């Protein structure tokens, strides 16, 4: 299941949630509003019932300080221009300094895939980059919030007849690199989107 978007329209004292970022944008456009992406309806309701608070910058710094050192990755489509991929350290600073293979880096220091690629492909590419960075830097920990990529694709489990050739090739490469990473003592772990410093939910 993808992200859900909770919103609070301050002037109207109205709350709600939707599974579409495009719909959320239309609802909050031009209004004094707070909105945020979550992995479940339960998380949406909890945030709305708490008054739809935004974290202060100081709170985010505290959260980053409590995260494990390592490499974090995510993919998202929230800007409305297509899939973007982000890879960061625990402070949220981008580790992407240049184009990755044939994919260009955009002005936000993310890899831009456009609308031709799926978000799942973006998550897989994010892990591919994280594994490449870890090999170069010696980092032992990688974190992401895609269960599909972490639990299945990166272990070589996939339905080939449902995927394009480029995705299958990348799955096989990532599975091989993950095996090498773990043999070097590395660990790949799941982290929730609200804690992931690389999160591309496009919420404050």
């Amino acid at each position: 299941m993808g992200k859900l978007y909770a919103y609070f329209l301050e002037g109207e004292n109205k709350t709600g949630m939707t599974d579409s970022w495009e719909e959320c944008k239309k609802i909050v456009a031009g209004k004094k509003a707070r909105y945020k992406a979550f992995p479940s309806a339960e998380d949406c309701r909890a945030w709305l019932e708490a008054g739809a608070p935004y974290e202060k910058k100081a709170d985010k710094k505290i959260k980053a300080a409590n995260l494990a050192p390592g490499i974090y990755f995510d993919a998202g489509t929230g800007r409305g221009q297509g899939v973007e991929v982000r890879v960061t350290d625990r402070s949220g600073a981008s580790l992407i300094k240049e184009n990755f293979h044939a994919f260009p880096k955009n002005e936000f220091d993310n890899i831009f895939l456009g609308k031709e690629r799926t978000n799942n492909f973006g998550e897989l590419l994010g892990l591919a980059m994280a594994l490449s960075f870890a090999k170069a830097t010696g980092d032992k920990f990688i974190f992401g919030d895609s269960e599909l990529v972490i639990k299945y694709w990166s272990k070589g489990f996939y339905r080939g007849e449902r995927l394009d050739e480029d995705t299958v090739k990348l799955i096989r490469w990532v599975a091989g690199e993950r095996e090498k990473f773990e043999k070097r003592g590395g660990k790949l772990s799941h982290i929730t989107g609200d804690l992931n410093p690389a999160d591309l939910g496009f919420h404050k």
Side-chain angles (χ1 to χ4, degrees), residues 5-199:
Y5 302 88
Y7 58 86
F8 169 48
L9 305 180
E10 298 181 41
E12 303 172 27
N13 197 28
K14 180 181 177 181
T15 64
M17 70 179 77
T18 174
D19 61 1
S20 165
W21 169 243
E22 292 302 319
E23 184 179 349
C24 184
K25 281 199 297 185
K26 290 177 183 177
I27 292 170
V28 303
K31 299 178 181 178
K32 190 175 182 182
R34 298 200 291 272
Y35 50 93
K36 194 171 181 180
F38 292 96
S40 71
E42 183 180 357
D43 289 331
C44 285
R45 285 191 288 269
W47 181 69
L48 291 171
E49 288 170 6
Y54 276 153
E55 284 183 299
K56 297 178 181 178
K57 289 184 178 180
D59 294 333
K60 291 185 178 182
K61 287 181 180 179
I62 290 170
K63 183 172 72 175
N66 291 327
L67 289 174
I71 300 172
Y72 296 77
F73 69 93
D74 190 35
T77 58
R79 223 181 299 277
Q81 300 173 354
V83 177
E84 295 178 51
V85 184
R86 188 162 182 80
V87 183
T88 75
D89 61 18
R90 66 175 173 177
S91 73
S94 177
L95 299 177
I96 300 170
K97 306 303 180 187
E98 55 190 17
N99 296 352
F100 186 76
H101 292 230
F103 302 110
K105 181 175 77 74
N106 65 15
E107 66 269 32
F108 304 103
D109 288 330
N110 301 330
I111 292 297
F112 181 66
L113 302 182
K115 296 182 179 179
E116 294 75 30
R117 299 289 182 177
T118 65
N119 195 69
N120 287 333
F121 182 89
E123 294 278 6
L124 184 66
L125 187 68
L127 177 53
M129 286 191 285
L131 287 165
S132 295
F133 291 144
K135 185 176 182 180
T137 62
D139 276 284
K140 298 295 185 183
F141 299 98
I142 294 175
F143 302 88
D145 55 32
S146 171
E147 293 198 6
L148 173 66
V149 168
I150 293 171
K151 290 185 177 180
Y152 301 103
W153 282 4
S154 65
K155 292 181 178 180
F157 301 121
Y158 64 94
R159 298 279 300 273
E161 69 274 12
R162 296 185 176 183
L163 301 170
D164 62 80
E165 184 179 350
D166 288 344
T167 302
V168 171
K169 285 182 180 179
L170 189 57
I171 286 173
R172 291 173 178 170
W173 186 87
V174 166
E177 290 302 305
R178 176 179 180 172
E179 184 176 358
K180 294 174 189 176
F181 172 68
E182 291 178 334
K183 283 182 178 179
R184 296 194 300 268
K187 184 177 180 182
L188 173 60
S189 301
H190 182 270
I191 186 172
T192 59
D194 59 327
L195 292 177
N196 187 355
D199 183 61

